Amino acid sequence: MDEPQKRGLSVPIFYATGNRTKAFLYSLVSGIAEPVGAIIGYLLLMPYINDTVNAVVFAIVAGIMVFISVSELLPSAQEYSGNHISVYGLICGMAVMSISLVGFM
């Protein structure tokens, strides 16, 4: 992979500006965005929250997490493993999760 390794937000900002305070503040604002988004999402969905809406929201979030895993983490793992062992691990992990979900119902 030719693109540089992905790092956190603070390090690139610090090296680009040389300013620790600016790097810290940008990272702080970035970190605060998540709970603020959760509060806004809760306030928007509060009148509609029931088991179905909850399940749909969880399904969407799970789909996003799987997409990120497959599109970002899997190619990186394949680069370091050199073969299909990372794909086998992904499939085995999904199978274990499926079996555990059925087992807990």
Side-chain angles (χ1 to χ4, degrees):
M1 200 155 66
D2 290 335
E3 75 183 52
Q5 293 292 325
K6 292 182 175 44
R7 296 187 183 111
L9 183 66
S10 297
V11 174
I13 292 173
F14 173 69
Y15 281 115
T17 64
N19 187 339
R20 288 179 190 257
T21 305
K22 184 182 256 188
F24 174 75
L25 290 176
Y26 279 34
S27 297
L28 180 67
V29 169
S30 173
I32 290 174
E34 193 169 321
V36 169
I39 291 168
I40 291 170
Y42 177 75
L43 292 175
L44 289 175
L45 293 175
M46 189 172 48
Y48 309 106
I49 290 180
N50 58 33
D51 288 342
T52 304
V53 172
N54 220 11
V56 168
V57 170
F58 283 149
I60 291 170
V61 171
I64 292 169
M65 292 172 64
V66 169
F67 175 79
I68 290 171
S69 297
V70 171
S71 74
E72 296 290 333
L73 299 177
L74 188 60
S76 180
Q78 284 180 321
E79 178 182 339
Y80 289 110
S81 69
N83 54 23
H84 294 295
I85 194 157
S86 55
V87 176
Y88 300 147
L90 176 73
I91 300 301
C92 289
M94 287 181 173
V96 167
M97 290 302 294
S98 298
I99 291 168
S100 68
L101 287 173
V102 170
F104 288 127
M105 287 187 153

